[in-house]
């Protein structure tokens, strides 16, 4: 990465970027960043009144143990490991197998099933606190 410049990474979609530990850009996606920062402040109110991007980034880089949770307790937009440890997107009550090219058909798993979140615990809390990621890759629409 070029120091002091934009991150030169591109992802399939926003849920994938969030699972990789990246937040919306504070410059080119200003409104989304502000929504993300507001949800971050709701998720972590005791930390500080106003979160700066550098503080958020520092916390996102911290290693946290993987969250294991029943699907029903997870917000939309989480990437999880389910069924034979395949990565899948949890979206609107369905799982969609993840791939570099897009998502596969939705498959059913009992909502009580515990899964390991690839999306970090802090990022899950931001999603729970009301941050709504951009809709997933268009391949999800094919199967909904």
């Amino acid at each position: 990465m070029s120091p002091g410049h934009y991150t030169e990474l591109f992802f399939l979609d926003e849920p994938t970027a969030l699972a990789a530990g990246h937040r919306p850009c504070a410059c080119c996606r200003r409104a989304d960043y502000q929504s993300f920062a507001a949800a971050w402040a709701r998720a972590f109110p005791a930390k500080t009144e106003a979160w700066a991007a550098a503080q958020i980034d520092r916390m996102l880089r911290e290693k946290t143990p993987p969250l294991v949770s029943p699907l029903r307790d997870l917000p939309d937009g989480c990437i999880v490991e389910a069924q034979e440890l395949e990565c899948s997107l949890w979206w609107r009550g369905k799982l969609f197998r993840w791939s570099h090219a897009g998502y596969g058909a939705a498959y059913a798993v009992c909502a009580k099933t515990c899964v390991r979140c690839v999306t970090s615990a802090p990022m899950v809390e931001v999603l729970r606190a009301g941050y709504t990621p951009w809709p997933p890759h268009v391949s999800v629409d094919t199967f909904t």
Side-chain angles (χ1 to χ4, degrees), residues 62-136:
E62 291 176 8
K63 296 293 181 202
T64 57
L67 177 66
V68 176
S69 174
L71 278 169
R72 67 175 175 222
D73 294 342
L74 294 175
D76 283 350
C78 290
I79 303 287
V80 302
E81 288 182 342
Q83 292 191 343
E84 301 172 6
L85 302 179
E86 291 186 25
C87 286
S88 298
L89 169 69
W90 179 243
W91 189 257
R92 298 184 179 159
K94 298 176 184 173
L95 283 171
F96 298 87
R97 283 190 179 85
W98 184 94
S99 79
H100 291 283
Y103 295 97
Y107 62 98
V109 174
C110 176
K112 294 179 184 178
T113 300
C114 282
V115 294
R116 180 186 167 275
C117 288
V118 176
T119 304
S120 69
M123 201 65 84
V124 171
E125 291 308 314
V126 171
L127 293 170
R128 282 187 180 135
Y131 180 70
T132 304
W134 283 7

Side-chain angles (χ1 to χ4, degrees), residues 25-36:
C25 177
C27 293
C28 62
R29 292 185 54 208
R30 188 71 180 165
D32 293 319
Y33 170 75
Q34 289 172 329
S35 175
F36 180 88

